[in-house]
Every structure is written in C-alpha cells, then in structure tokens.
Amino acid sequence: MTPLQLTPPPAHPAAATVWVGYSGGMDSAVLLHALRAQYPQLNLHALHVHHGLQSIADQWLENCRTQCAQWQIPFTAIHVDVKNAGQGIEAAARLARYQAFCRHLQDGDVLVTAHHQNDQAETVLMRALRGTGIYGLAAMRPLQPRGRAVHWRPLLNTARAQIHRYAQAHGLQWIDDPHNQQTDYARVLLRQNILPALDAHFPAAIHKLAQLAEHAEQARALLRERAEQDCAQAVDRAGSLCIQTVLNLSSARRNNLLHWLITSQGHQPPPQHWYASFEQEVLRARADAAPVLTCGTLQTRRYRGRVYFMAPLPAAPVPALHWNPGAPLTLPNGCGELRCLSNEASASALQTLRIQWGSHGARIQRPDHPHSHSLKQLCQQAGIPPWVRARMPLVYQNQTLLSAGGYWHSVAAAQQNQWFEWRHPLPMPVPSPGGRPQNENKD
C-alpha cells in the first residue's frame, strides 16, 4: 500500500522527544505505525492518557503497553481525574487530556496527535453551529504551539477512510471506544449521522469543510497581521491600550485588534456581545470614570486614557499583618511580595512591623522634603492606578509610616537605613525613564 501522505514535521533538535498521543484506537494506532515506518530517526515515545471513564480503561492501557513493547517504542501512561464542570464529559475529558500533555511536555518536545480530515470537518461544522468567527473556523492547524512544545498533526489532510484502509492493509489491531457510538454526544452525532448525510448529498463535503478551515486560516493570518500593525500604534510595552487611538479605528478593525490583544495576553476570547459592552462602558466612558468590565477570566480597567487587561482581581486585603522584616513577606490576595532591602543585621534590629492597606488619608514625610505629602497626591503624581493603590502595602513601625509600597520612604526609615521593595504582578503604566510610573498631575 502507498504510504500515507503525512504533513511535514516541525523543525526540532535531533534529540527532541516526540510524544505520540496513543489511545489505542484506530487513528492513533495508524499514526504510531506510520511514524515508526516513515521517520525512523525520530525519538518516538507513546503517551497514553488514562481517563478512567470506561470499565475496561485498565485493559486499554495494558493493550497499548503491549503493542508498544512489540514495536519497541517507549511507553508512558498518565492517569487523570476528569472533572465535568458543566461543559460536558467530552469537553472535560479533552481538557484533562491536554492539561496532562502540557504538564508532561518539556521545552523543545513535540506532541503528535492523530487528528485527521474528518476530525477537522467535524470541528469546523460544530464551531459554525455555535456561531464562531473566522478565528474559530480556522480550527486545527498542522503545526501550532502547545505550551512549551510544538503540536504536530500529521494526518490532518488524510481522510478517515484512507486511515481505515491503511490499518487493514497492515493488519493493525485497535480498540473501539463505546463512547464513539453514543449519539447523545454532539461530536458523535455529527460523526455518525450528520456528516455522512452531508457527504451523500454533497460530494466531497468533508473535504470541502476541511478546506474551509484552510481558507479561514489564511484570513486569520491576514487579520493577525493587521492587528499587529494596529497594535504597534495603540498598545504600549505594558500591554495597555490607548483609547483615543483605538476609537479612531473602524469598528471591525477595532474588534480585530481587541481579539488579538486579549488572546495574545493569554485570555480566552470574549463572546461577541462583549465588544459592544466594552465600547460603551469602557472606551466611551467619561474621562474621569474608572469603569471595570468583567467577563469570565477577563477584566478590563480604564485609567488616564488607557485600558488595562487582566485576570479579575481579588478584593484588596483588609486586616493588618505583622511582619519580621528579616524574611520576605508573601502578601495575601495576589498582592505580591514585600522585602526589606537593608542588610541582615539592620533588618533584624527592627521591631516587628505592621502592614496595612488603604492609602486614603495617609501622609508621609520624605527625606529632603520639609513637609509631609498625602499618599493620594503622590500616587496621582506618579501615575499609580487605583487598583494598585488599594493593594499597596504600607509599612508601619508603631504609629510611624516607614514606606508606601517601596515607592516612598519616610525620614524615619532613612534615619534607620531601612529600605523596602514591593514586587507585584498588578498591571501598571510603563515606567518613565526615571524608573517610576509616568508622572501626571491628576486622575
């Protein structure tokens, strides 16, 4: 039989480990066999994920182990706990599987899966029925990043019928998952009932749907190129968005930039209705407003003509903490870490310090300044946004304020040669050349 036409592998170091997702089903059995035959130089390893969803899951694992021993391919099994959080058992199992893959993969590794042309058609049709856009219709790609590794799909242009013929011609054995016959699962319904009917009435329907994904991928690449050009004009090094610049774009171009920016920062793309809410509630809010728009794992905040994208912030800490400055202090609610930069002897000489939050009404007198200043005024001048101010640790010795987030130190701190540093992950404006956030005169 003519060898399968596999998509080209990624460029990778010769010693890289190539992990082949091996469930024991027909598709992954054919993939492992074909890779072994066509790429003997690859450092192949089979990777089996045990979901525990079937009573015979243990038997599947042992069958896979036995087959890999016969083919002299190293075998690894990973057990996962599938948690259905309302997305359906199929989606939950898929999420658990890929999370396990990503935890297992190392820098430079290659993950190989047996997705084929019929899988691509199913994905395109399912996403279209859910109202996806161009990015979703692009579906799967032969090569794409996967955590620290590269994800390769060699069979993506190969039809399931061709895979079946290959399996029969080479006398391969495989396991049939009973779940693949249960049409109460959406993907199985498409596979068993919908796509065969489409293919019967529209010749090459599966091929055409897979081809649609290729066209969508070309459109996606063009949209990304346009977004990167707009990003260069509208987004700074901190990842914040200039409101006036983005409002000057057309609605379609603005939404394209937002989609690219949000996903490039690691967030899930928001639903379509979010874009209209974002424009009205954030972009077109009053200049002195501080709107917060939350959608799932994405939160947007506005400050001084720019929009910041972040994960939803926990509430700012309230109770005071006591701290021995001889060791770093991990602050609650994702507020980072506080350190004393003084030498060990000097730090140990300090009494236990008190850490408080909330700069409203607090004042500090800095060295070389004859008068004290309110922290609110200093934060405004330094361009520190409200969500950072609310989480900025204030270091007290008895009733004396020594430091405000390490940004400012008091006369008392200087006299004792005590200096503090606050490291945190909160989104901030790009620092000015002097090292502090950009100086502004008002909110």
Side-chain angles (χ1 to χ4, degrees):
M1 180 181 179
T2 304
L4 294 174
Q5 296 297 310
L6 306 179
T7 65
H12 61 279
T17 303
V18 179
W19 297 95
V20 183
Y22 183 38
S23 67
M26 180 184 71
D27 302 337
S28 61
V30 165
L31 174 64
L32 194 58
H33 185 277
L35 289 174
R36 177 172 171 265
Q38 296 188 34
Y39 293 98
Q41 75 279 14
L42 292 181
N43 183 20
L44 291 178
H45 285 65
L47 187 57
H48 177 87
V49 176
H50 184 297
H51 300 88
L53 298 177
Q54 300 280 358
S55 59
I56 56 174
D58 291 339
Q59 181 182 332
W60 292 352
L61 187 154
E62 292 306 320
N63 288 346
C64 291
R65 191 194 307 276
T66 300
Q67 182 63 80
C68 287
Q70 292 176 0
W71 286 345
Q72 297 183 323
I73 296 175
F75 175 82
T76 300
I78 304 175
H79 290 72
V80 298
D81 182 16
V82 178
K83 292 182 172 63
N84 186 355
Q87 71 270 53
I89 195 64
E90 278 186 304
R94 188 178 307 112
L95 176 62
R97 181 164 60 252
Y98 278 103
Q99 287 176 339
F101 284 156
C102 288
R103 286 193 300 267
H104 192 79
L105 297 170
Q106 301 297 316
D107 291 336
D109 284 355
V110 179
L111 172 65
V112 192
T113 56
H115 295 104
H116 47 68
Q117 190 177 77
N118 295 60
D119 293 325
Q120 183 79 303
E122 292 169 11
T123 301
V124 170
L125 186 56
M126 180 173 287
R127 291 185 178 182
L129 291 171
R130 290 173 176 170
T132 190
I134 287 295
Y135 284 87
L137 286 179
M140 296 179 285
R141 285 169 273 167
L143 294 173
Q144 63 186 115
R146 175 69 68 180
R148 296 177 292 176
V150 176
H151 191 170
W152 177 28
R153 298 182 176 96
L155 299 175
L156 200 56
N157 298 329
T158 304
R160 178 182 284 118
Q162 188 177 359
I163 292 172
H164 187 258
R165 290 194 296 270
Y166 182 99
Q168 291 182 318
H170 290 277
L172 302 183
Q173 296 182 343
W174 64 87
I175 302 162
D176 287 318
D177 186 345
H179 279 169
N180 290 334
Q181 305 302 319
Q182 298 178 15
T183 55
D184 49 338
Y185 296 125
R187 187 174 285 271
V188 176
L189 178 66
L190 288 179
R191 183 180 305 147
Q192 298 292 347
N193 297 354
I194 307 301
L195 281 173
L198 285 174
D199 211 35
H201 289 276
F202 301 95
I206 291 175
H207 172 73
K208 296 299 184 183
L209 283 169
Q211 195 174 59
L212 175 59
E214 296 180 10
H215 296 324
E217 169 58 22
Q218 294 177 6
R220 186 203 65 81
L222 183 60
L223 290 171
R224 176 173 179 170
E225 183 178 328
R226 177 76 269 182
E228 288 175 341
Q229 293 170 352
D230 290 336
C231 176
Q233 302 299 318
V235 180
D236 65 12
R237 289 186 289 109
S240 71
L241 185 71
C242 176
I243 292 174
Q244 190 55 57
T245 301
V246 79
L247 283 176
N248 290 337
L249 301 176
S250 68
S251 176
R253 195 164 152 187
R254 177 166 60 244
N255 291 349
N256 178 60
L257 170 60
L258 289 169
H259 182 282
W260 180 87
L261 180 61
I262 289 167
T263 55
S264 68
Q265 292 185 6
H267 303 287
Q268 288 296 315
Q272 190 62 34
H273 64 78
W274 176 89
Y275 293 92
S277 299
F278 176 77
E279 179 176 345
Q280 293 303 317
E281 297 178 30
V282 179
L283 293 182
R284 299 190 184 278
R286 299 190 326 270
D288 61 345
V292 178
L293 182 62
T294 303
C295 179
T297 60
L298 173 67
Q299 189 171 82
T300 56
R301 293 173 180 259
R302 172 175 172 153
Y303 180 64
R304 290 187 176 176
R306 305 197 73 88
V307 176
Y308 296 80
F309 301 86
M310 63 195 77
L313 296 179
V318 176
L321 298 178
H322 291 89
W323 175 42
N324 180 344
L329 175 65
T330 300
L331 302 172
N333 295 7
C335 290
E337 182 183 78
L338 188 63
R339 291 173 173 264
C340 180
L341 300 182
S342 308
N343 62 59
E344 184 176 348
S346 179
S348 63
L350 274 176
Q351 304 172 16
T352 299
L353 303 178
R354 188 176 77 257
I355 311 301
Q356 292 186 189
W357 286 268
S359 60
H360 182 72
R363 301 182 67 85
I364 190 169
Q365 183 175 355
R366 296 169 290 165
D368 301 326
H369 288 75
H371 305 290
S372 66
H373 293 82
S374 74
L375 290 184
K376 179 179 179 180
Q377 180 185 19
L378 292 175
C379 286
Q380 289 174 342
Q381 291 175 347
I384 297 177
W387 61 88
V388 178
R389 298 178 207 172
R391 294 161 178 82
M392 180 173 66
L394 307 182
V395 183
Y396 284 88
Q397 184 180 44
N398 298 322
Q399 301 304 313
T400 302
L401 178 59
L402 297 181
S403 175
Y407 295 123
W408 302 282
H409 292 83
S410 69
V411 172
Q415 289 172 345
Q416 299 178 63
N417 194 29
Q418 301 297 338
W419 310 103
F420 301 90
E421 179 185 49
W422 178 36
R423 297 180 181 180
H424 64 84
L426 302 169
M428 288 273 288
V430 174
S432 65
R436 288 183 179 174
Q438 292 178 0
N439 196 350
E440 300 280 350
N441 291 323
K442 61 180 180 178
D443 281 328

